Amino acid sequence: MYTTEKYEASISVSEYVKNYVDIPTFLKACKACPNYDQVWSCPSYSFDVADYWKKYNMLRLTATKIIFKPELLERTYTPEEQNAIIQKVIPPEKERLSEEMYRQEAQFPGSISLSAGSCSLCKNGCAKPLGKPCRFPDKMRYSIESLGGNVGLTIEKLMGLHLEWMEADRLPAHFILVNGLLIP
């Protein structure tokens, strides 16, 4: 169905924030998302995002390019078929990447990983709308986007990659999941 390719880059957090982070722009985008104030890994936050970045010195980025087989790209799909393929591919890849990032955290004391997209740990929905604390605070991670990072610009400038978007009836040639490791 697909293959993957891995890309990596490292950058100082100060340089990353200067060149790739735009908190107001991405907060505005987050406010338009149904996860806003509904998922613990998404804004609004009880902390200052700019201060969050300042706690770390280095950002190690990992991009996983999910490349669909040519035969999948040659046909058209209904929205339901597209969604079924996405659900078959993205969650397992995202889970595999999260486990890999947890292993990297163990190698760098005080580090914290950044997730590819919003949290999906709670299969029956996040506890935040219920006014309850996160059920998995040891595993929940913020995404680069939720902290104001421009993932499209990041992968373009630091890895030579580009995002592709799904058309109404076709799969994109690839998806890219981007994780990070913030190191003190």
Side-chain angles (χ1 to χ4, degrees):
M1 176 176 252
Y2 67 92
T3 59
T4 61
E5 294 176 359
K6 186 175 178 179
Y7 298 81
E8 296 179 321
S10 292
I11 186 171
S12 72
V13 170
S14 60
E15 184 180 347
Y16 188 76
V17 168
K18 178 182 174 188
N19 295 309
Y20 300 94
V21 174
D22 181 348
I23 295 167
T25 296
F26 283 87
L27 180 59
K28 183 178 178 183
C30 286
K31 284 181 179 178
C33 175
N35 285 342
Y36 185 81
D37 268 339
Q38 300 299 307
V39 180
W40 281 113
S41 66
C42 295
S44 69
Y45 294 132
S46 61
F47 60 87
D48 183 275
V49 172
D51 288 342
Y52 189 87
W53 287 106
K54 291 176 187 174
K55 296 187 294 187
Y56 302 96
N57 292 312
M58 183 63 61
L59 174 59
R60 289 178 48 182
L61 296 156
T62 302
T64 301
K65 186 176 184 180
I66 299 168
I67 306 160
F68 289 105
K69 299 279 184 182
E71 56 269 19
L72 290 176
L73 302 175
E74 294 169 359
R75 59 167 290 221
T76 60
Y77 298 89
T78 66
E80 295 78 19
E81 289 171 325
Q82 284 177 317
N83 190 52
I85 291 170
I86 291 167
Q87 292 308 309
K88 187 174 182 177
V89 172
I90 300 298
E93 282 299 318
K94 191 173 164 181
E95 186 174 332
R96 185 185 63 73
L97 294 168
S98 292
E99 292 300 324
E100 181 181 319
M101 297 309 295
Y102 298 144
R103 287 190 293 276
Q104 287 186 29
E105 287 177 2
Q107 295 173 2
F108 296 92
S111 68
I112 192 82
S113 60
L114 299 173
S115 172
S118 66
C119 182
S120 54
L121 291 169
C122 293
K123 304 304 178 207
N124 294 322
C126 183
K128 189 173 185 177
L130 305 173
K132 295 185 178 182
C134 178
R135 294 180 188 105
F136 301 100
D138 58 322
K139 293 192 176 259
M140 187 278 294
R141 298 295 183 268
Y142 306 112
S143 70
I144 295 169
E145 301 93 331
S146 77
L147 298 173
N150 185 330
V151 170
L153 185 63
T154 297
I155 64 169
E156 180 183 319
K157 298 292 184 185
L158 299 177
M159 298 174 181
L161 300 170
H162 66 278
L163 296 176
E164 287 202 8
W165 304 102
M166 201 156 24
E167 294 180 27
D169 60 352
R170 296 199 175 266
L171 293 175
H174 64 263
F175 285 123
I176 300 176
L177 300 176
V178 183
N179 295 77
L181 184 69
L182 287 166
I183 303 169

